Amino acid sequence: YVRIADAATARLVDELASYAVPDRDGAHSVPVVAAPDPLARARTCYDHFAGRLGMAVTDAMGRRGLLRTEGVFELTEDGRAWCAAAGVALTGHGRRPPASSCLDWTERRRHLGGLAGARLCARALEEQWVVRPAGGGRGLEVTAAGERAFEDLLGITPEAWR
């Protein structure tokens, strides 16, 4: 067993691992890791969205031209403007990049991390667009308010993460 020293080291290991997966951005027909359905549907990965919800957010931002996902993840100028309009602050937090990729262990694709991913997740928790189930942990449940918010902000519907 090993322990990762800190969050920055964990992000570095995840980023490096994402490059070890052949065709890392292609969809895989068989998940590499079987996860209980609620965790596969929506959860946190460190401090940002993961699972099908995380992929839906990442894909929607890419389709709308808010996020470049080829190679290194990067917010576009439109993406930075979208973050500001959506109440996702990109200031502070030291040298953390505005956007980074993180390999999703159930979907086997990269999802949005970095400051934008963390602050969007924090806003969703504050606004109760997502809530943690009674037992706590990393799982998330999207509320009715969250369904409306994700559709209004990114054009994604519950079918994208269910």
Side-chain angles (χ1 to χ4, degrees):
Y1 294 99
V2 298
R3 188 179 82 183
I4 296 178
D6 55 31
T9 304
R11 283 191 296 275
L12 175 63
V13 169
D14 280 342
E15 182 70 17
L16 290 171
S18 76
Y19 286 93
V21 176
D23 188 29
R24 67 180 183 264
D25 291 324
H28 297 273
S29 60
V30 179
V32 175
V33 176
D37 193 53
L39 279 183
R41 187 172 26 254
R43 68 179 181 280
T44 54
C45 175
Y46 305 105
D47 58 0
H48 54 271
F49 292 127
R52 290 190 296 269
L53 177 61
M55 293 311 310
V57 167
T58 301
D59 291 344
M61 290 183 74
R63 277 192 309 274
R64 290 174 169 239
L66 308 175
L67 177 68
R68 289 189 192 94
T69 59
E70 295 297 319
V72 175
F73 274 27
E74 180 181 24
L75 289 172
T76 63
E77 287 303 315
D78 287 346
R80 289 175 180 275
W82 179 88
C83 285
V88 178
L90 297 176
T91 57
H93 227 281
R95 297 185 322 199
R96 188 168 189 186
S100 64
S101 68
C102 191
L103 183 63
D104 193 286
W105 58 270
T106 53
E107 298 299 306
R108 305 312 299 168
R109 294 176 51 219
R110 298 181 303 152
H111 59 256
L112 176 65
L115 200 53
R119 297 278 171 83
L120 178 58
C121 184
R123 172 129 196 262
L125 285 163
E126 288 167 10
E127 298 290 333
Q128 294 191 337
W129 299 340
V130 295
V131 295
R132 299 218 186 262
R138 295 179 0 162
L140 297 172
E141 295 172 0
V142 180
T143 64
E147 289 180 8
R148 288 188 300 276
F150 287 122
E151 187 164 9
D152 291 347
L153 290 171
L154 292 167
I156 53 178
T157 60
E159 292 75 28
W161 63 80
R162 285 196 177 138

mmCIF file of all heavy atoms in Angstrom, residues 69-93:
data_model
loop_
_atom_site.group_PDB
_atom_site.id
_atom_site.type_symbol
_atom_site.label_atom_id
_atom_site.label_comp_id
_atom_site.label_asym_id
_atom_site.label_seq_id
_atom_site.Cartn_x
_atom_site.Cartn_y
_atom_site.Cartn_z
ATOM 1 N N THR A 69 -10.339 20.198 -25.193
ATOM 2 C CA THR A 69 -10.024 18.927 -24.557
ATOM 3 C C THR A 69 -8.985 18.112 -25.318
ATOM 4 O O THR A 69 -8.649 17.015 -24.900
ATOM 5 C CB THR A 69 -11.295 18.078 -24.388
ATOM 6 O OG1 THR A 69 -11.878 17.850 -25.671
ATOM 7 C CG2 THR A 69 -12.301 18.768 -23.477
ATOM 8 N N GLU A 70 -8.478 18.650 -26.399
ATOM 9 C CA GLU A 70 -7.401 17.971 -27.118
ATOM 10 C C GLU A 70 -6.100 18.240 -26.389
ATOM 11 O O GLU A 70 -5.739 19.386 -26.155
ATOM 12 C CB GLU A 70 -7.307 18.481 -28.563
ATOM 13 C CG GLU A 70 -8.524 18.163 -29.406
ATOM 14 C CD GLU A 70 -8.739 16.676 -29.586
ATOM 15 O OE1 GLU A 70 -7.752 15.943 -29.787
ATOM 16 O OE2 GLU A 70 -9.901 16.239 -29.498
ATOM 17 N N GLY A 71 -5.387 17.199 -26.003
ATOM 18 C CA GLY A 71 -4.146 17.402 -25.245
ATOM 19 C C GLY A 71 -4.466 17.901 -23.857
ATOM 20 O O GLY A 71 -5.247 17.310 -23.126
ATOM 21 N N VAL A 72 -3.892 19.031 -23.494
ATOM 22 C CA VAL A 72 -4.109 19.620 -22.169
ATOM 23 C C VAL A 72 -5.459 20.338 -22.154
ATOM 24 O O VAL A 72 -5.797 21.060 -23.081
ATOM 25 C CB VAL A 72 -2.973 20.620 -21.848
ATOM 26 C CG1 VAL A 72 -3.228 21.335 -20.537
ATOM 27 C CG2 VAL A 72 -1.633 19.895 -21.819
ATOM 28 N N PHE A 73 -6.237 20.142 -21.100
ATOM 29 C CA PHE A 73 -7.510 20.841 -20.976
ATOM 30 C C PHE A 73 -7.243 22.325 -20.778
ATOM 31 O O PHE A 73 -6.364 22.714 -20.004
ATOM 32 C CB PHE A 73 -8.298 20.318 -19.777
ATOM 33 C CG PHE A 73 -9.133 19.101 -20.061
ATOM 34 C CD1 PHE A 73 -8.800 18.203 -21.057
ATOM 35 C CD2 PHE A 73 -10.255 18.840 -19.313
ATOM 36 C CE1 PHE A 73 -9.569 17.078 -21.304
ATOM 37 C CE2 PHE A 73 -11.033 17.726 -19.538
ATOM 38 C CZ PHE A 73 -10.692 16.839 -20.528
ATOM 39 N N GLU A 74 -8.038 23.147 -21.474
ATOM 40 C CA GLU A 74 -7.860 24.593 -21.377
ATOM 41 C C GLU A 74 -9.196 25.288 -21.603
ATOM 42 O O GLU A 74 -9.915 24.957 -22.551
ATOM 43 C CB GLU A 74 -6.849 25.041 -22.437
ATOM 44 C CG GLU A 74 -6.574 26.506 -22.442
ATOM 45 C CD GLU A 74 -5.579 26.903 -23.522
ATOM 46 O OE1 GLU A 74 -5.447 26.181 -24.533
ATOM 47 O OE2 GLU A 74 -4.955 27.948 -23.347
ATOM 48 N N LEU A 75 -9.526 26.235 -20.728
ATOM 49 C CA LEU A 75 -10.716 27.044 -20.939
ATOM 50 C C LEU A 75 -10.464 28.003 -22.087
ATOM 51 O O LEU A 75 -9.390 28.597 -22.184
ATOM 52 C CB LEU A 75 -11.069 27.846 -19.691
ATOM 53 C CG LEU A 75 -11.603 27.063 -18.503
ATOM 54 C CD1 LEU A 75 -11.713 27.975 -17.290
ATOM 55 C CD2 LEU A 75 -12.941 26.420 -18.814
ATOM 56 N N THR A 76 -11.464 28.189 -22.938
ATOM 57 C CA THR A 76 -11.372 29.190 -24.000
ATOM 58 C C THR A 76 -11.749 30.548 -23.409
ATOM 59 O O THR A 76 -12.179 30.632 -22.247
ATOM 60 C CB THR A 76 -12.338 28.837 -25.148
ATOM 61 O OG1 THR A 76 -13.680 28.893 -24.634
ATOM 62 C CG2 THR A 76 -12.051 27.446 -25.721
ATOM 63 N N GLU A 77 -11.618 31.594 -24.209
ATOM 64 C CA GLU A 77 -12.078 32.913 -23.736
ATOM 65 C C GLU A 77 -13.570 32.853 -23.437
ATOM 66 O O GLU A 77 -14.027 33.408 -22.432
ATOM 67 C CB GLU A 77 -11.761 33.998 -24.770
ATOM 68 C CG GLU A 77 -10.290 34.349 -24.838
ATOM 69 C CD GLU A 77 -9.730 34.808 -23.497
ATOM 70 O OE1 GLU A 77 -10.384 35.631 -22.802
ATOM 71 O OE2 GLU A 77 -8.644 34.334 -23.119
ATOM 72 N N ASP A 78 -14.344 32.182 -24.308
ATOM 73 C CA ASP A 78 -15.777 32.012 -24.040
ATOM 74 C C ASP A 78 -15.995 31.235 -22.749
ATOM 75 O O ASP A 78 -16.933 31.505 -21.999
ATOM 76 C CB ASP A 78 -16.470 31.295 -25.204
ATOM 77 C CG ASP A 78 -16.632 32.179 -26.427
ATOM 78 O OD1 ASP A 78 -16.463 33.410 -26.321
ATOM 79 O OD2 ASP A 78 -16.932 31.622 -27.508
ATOM 80 N N GLY A 79 -15.134 30.255 -22.499
ATOM 81 C CA GLY A 79 -15.231 29.465 -21.273
ATOM 82 C C GLY A 79 -14.985 30.300 -20.032
ATOM 83 O O GLY A 79 -15.668 30.154 -19.014
ATOM 84 N N ARG A 80 -14.007 31.182 -20.105
ATOM 85 C CA ARG A 80 -13.739 32.077 -18.970
ATOM 86 C C ARG A 80 -14.924 33.026 -18.740
ATOM 87 O O ARG A 80 -15.326 33.269 -17.597
ATOM 88 C CB ARG A 80 -12.457 32.863 -19.190
ATOM 89 C CG ARG A 80 -11.218 31.986 -19.092
ATOM 90 C CD ARG A 80 -9.950 32.784 -19.450
ATOM 91 N NE ARG A 80 -8.781 31.955 -19.358
ATOM 92 C CZ ARG A 80 -8.101 31.725 -18.239
ATOM 93 N NH1 ARG A 80 -8.482 32.288 -17.113
ATOM 94 N NH2 ARG A 80 -7.048 30.939 -18.245
ATOM 95 N N ALA A 81 -15.500 33.529 -19.825
ATOM 96 C CA ALA A 81 -16.669 34.404 -19.708
ATOM 97 C C ALA A 81 -17.862 33.631 -19.145
ATOM 98 O O ALA A 81 -18.611 34.147 -18.302
ATOM 99 C CB ALA A 81 -17.016 35.016 -21.064
ATOM 100 N N TRP A 82 -18.033 32.376 -19.597
ATOM 101 C CA TRP A 82 -19.112 31.531 -19.088
ATOM 102 C C TRP A 82 -18.945 31.319 -17.589
ATOM 103 O O TRP A 82 -19.914 31.418 -16.833
ATOM 104 C CB TRP A 82 -19.126 30.192 -19.826
ATOM 105 C CG TRP A 82 -20.196 29.269 -19.338
ATOM 106 C CD1 TRP A 82 -21.482 29.198 -19.776
ATOM 107 C CD2 TRP A 82 -20.077 28.292 -18.284
ATOM 108 N NE1 TRP A 82 -22.169 28.244 -19.062
ATOM 109 C CE2 TRP A 82 -21.322 27.675 -18.139
ATOM 110 C CE3 TRP A 82 -19.033 27.898 -17.454
ATOM 111 C CZ2 TRP A 82 -21.565 26.668 -17.204
ATOM 112 C CZ3 TRP A 82 -19.263 26.896 -16.513
ATOM 113 C CH2 TRP A 82 -20.517 26.298 -16.402
ATOM 114 N N CYS A 83 -17.728 31.028 -17.146
ATOM 115 C CA CYS A 83 -17.469 30.827 -15.717
ATOM 116 C C CYS A 83 -17.866 32.066 -14.921
ATOM 117 O O CYS A 83 -18.530 31.954 -13.884
ATOM 118 C CB CYS A 83 -16.004 30.477 -15.479
ATOM 119 S SG CYS A 83 -15.569 28.780 -15.931
ATOM 120 N N ALA A 84 -17.474 33.229 -15.402
ATOM 121 C CA ALA A 84 -17.813 34.471 -14.703
ATOM 122 C C ALA A 84 -19.326 34.649 -14.623
ATOM 123 O O ALA A 84 -19.867 34.977 -13.560
ATOM 124 C CB ALA A 84 -17.160 35.661 -15.399
ATOM 125 N N ALA A 85 -20.021 34.415 -15.736
ATOM 126 C CA ALA A 85 -21.474 34.579 -15.764
ATOM 127 C C ALA A 85 -22.180 33.534 -14.897
ATOM 128 O O ALA A 85 -23.237 33.806 -14.325
ATOM 129 C CB ALA A 85 -21.980 34.498 -17.204
ATOM 130 N N ALA A 86 -21.583 32.342 -14.772
ATOM 131 C CA ALA A 86 -22.188 31.258 -14.001
ATOM 132 C C ALA A 86 -21.819 31.314 -12.521
ATOM 133 O O ALA A 86 -22.214 30.439 -11.752
ATOM 134 C CB ALA A 86 -21.766 29.912 -14.589
ATOM 135 N N GLY A 87 -21.040 32.313 -12.119
ATOM 136 C CA GLY A 87 -20.646 32.428 -10.718
ATOM 137 C C GLY A 87 -19.546 31.454 -10.319
ATOM 138 O O GLY A 87 -19.454 31.055 -9.160
ATOM 139 N N VAL A 88 -18.714 31.073 -11.285
ATOM 140 C CA VAL A 88 -17.605 30.146 -11.041
ATOM 141 C C VAL A 88 -16.318 30.969 -11.077
ATOM 142 O O VAL A 88 -15.759 31.222 -12.143
ATOM 143 C CB VAL A 88 -17.587 29.023 -12.105
ATOM 144 C CG1 VAL A 88 -16.406 28.092 -11.892
ATOM 145 C CG2 VAL A 88 -18.911 28.249 -12.092
ATOM 146 N N ALA A 89 -15.870 31.408 -9.908
ATOM 147 C CA ALA A 89 -14.701 32.288 -9.816
ATOM 148 C C ALA A 89 -13.423 31.538 -10.153
ATOM 149 O O ALA A 89 -13.201 30.426 -9.681
ATOM 150 C CB ALA A 89 -14.601 32.873 -8.422
ATOM 151 N N LEU A 90 -12.590 32.153 -10.971
ATOM 152 C CA LEU A 90 -11.328 31.535 -11.373
ATOM 153 C C LEU A 90 -10.120 32.225 -10.753
ATOM 154 O O LEU A 90 -9.006 32.034 -11.208
ATOM 155 C CB LEU A 90 -11.204 31.547 -12.900
ATOM 156 C CG LEU A 90 -12.249 30.753 -13.660
ATOM 157 C CD1 LEU A 90 -12.068 30.922 -15.161
ATOM 158 C CD2 LEU A 90 -12.203 29.281 -13.267
ATOM 159 N N THR A 91 -10.343 32.993 -9.713
ATOM 160 C CA THR A 91 -9.238 33.707 -9.073
ATOM 161 C C THR A 91 -8.834 32.996 -7.793
ATOM 162 O O THR A 91 -9.615 32.255 -7.203
ATOM 163 C CB THR A 91 -9.645 35.153 -8.736
ATOM 164 O OG1 THR A 91 -10.796 35.114 -7.896
ATOM 165 C CG2 THR A 91 -9.948 35.938 -9.992
ATOM 166 N N GLY A 92 -7.604 33.230 -7.381
ATOM 167 C CA GLY A 92 -7.098 32.672 -6.140
ATOM 168 C C GLY A 92 -6.645 31.231 -6.280
ATOM 169 O O GLY A 92 -6.548 30.689 -7.372
ATOM 170 N N HIS A 93 -6.338 30.603 -5.170
ATOM 171 C CA HIS A 93 -5.943 29.201 -5.060
ATOM 172 C C HIS A 93 -4.562 28.915 -5.629
ATOM 173 O O HIS A 93 -4.321 27.873 -6.239
ATOM 174 C CB HIS A 93 -6.993 28.281 -5.676
ATOM 175 C CG HIS A 93 -7.304 27.129 -4.779
ATOM 176 N ND1 HIS A 93 -6.495 26.034 -4.674
ATOM 177 C CD2 HIS A 93 -8.331 26.926 -3.932
ATOM 178 C CE1 HIS A 93 -7.027 25.184 -3.802
ATOM 179 N NE2 HIS A 93 -8.142 25.713 -3.335
#
